[in-house]
Amino acid sequence: AYTATDIWTQFVNPVLGSDNLDPTQITNPAITYIQLDPSDPTPHVCGLQLSFQYPYTFSLPFTSLNLSTITLSTKVQMRLENQPYPCPVGTNY
């Protein structure tokens, strides 16, 4: 079983690094337990939702956007292989 630190250091940070993005620039990181299909009457599938924000600076010379910075947001969901029972929906991982 992975810890929250493992998820950031073994999965998120290497992907950011492969795109030449600095993992130390991440803001508002969060990992939360979620129910992947709460409308399903059978036993629910527990998962994690990972979200964070990252600043991006445009490099578009000769435009008004050159060196403008925006904040990109992302949210990813994944199924847990080792299902906790009951799934602690809404709690941070």
Side-chain angles (χ1 to χ4, degrees):
Y2 293 104
T3 66
T5 301
D6 292 335
I7 292 170
W8 291 107
T9 59
Q10 294 182 26
F11 302 107
V12 178
N13 292 350
V15 170
L16 291 172
S18 71
D19 289 326
N20 296 319
L21 300 175
D22 182 2
T24 63
Q25 296 295 311
I26 289 176
T27 57
N28 301 321
I31 300 177
T32 308
Y33 283 103
I34 58 168
Q35 207 65 277
L36 292 180
D37 189 6
S39 63
D40 187 353
T42 60
H44 300 293
V45 177
C46 191
L48 290 179
Q49 178 175 285
L50 180 138
S51 62
F52 63 89
Q53 296 178 330
Y54 191 90
Y56 179 78
T57 303
F58 287 99
S59 180
L60 301 169
F62 311 111
T63 69
S64 61
L65 295 176
N66 191 37
L67 302 180
S68 296
T69 301
I70 62 169
T71 301
L72 302 173
S73 298
T74 189
K75 191 180 290 187
V76 178
Q77 296 178 353
M78 63 183 169
R79 179 184 180 276
L80 289 176
E81 293 299 321
N82 298 321
Q83 297 284 306
Y85 184 83
C87 183
V89 174
T91 58
N92 292 330
Y93 184 63

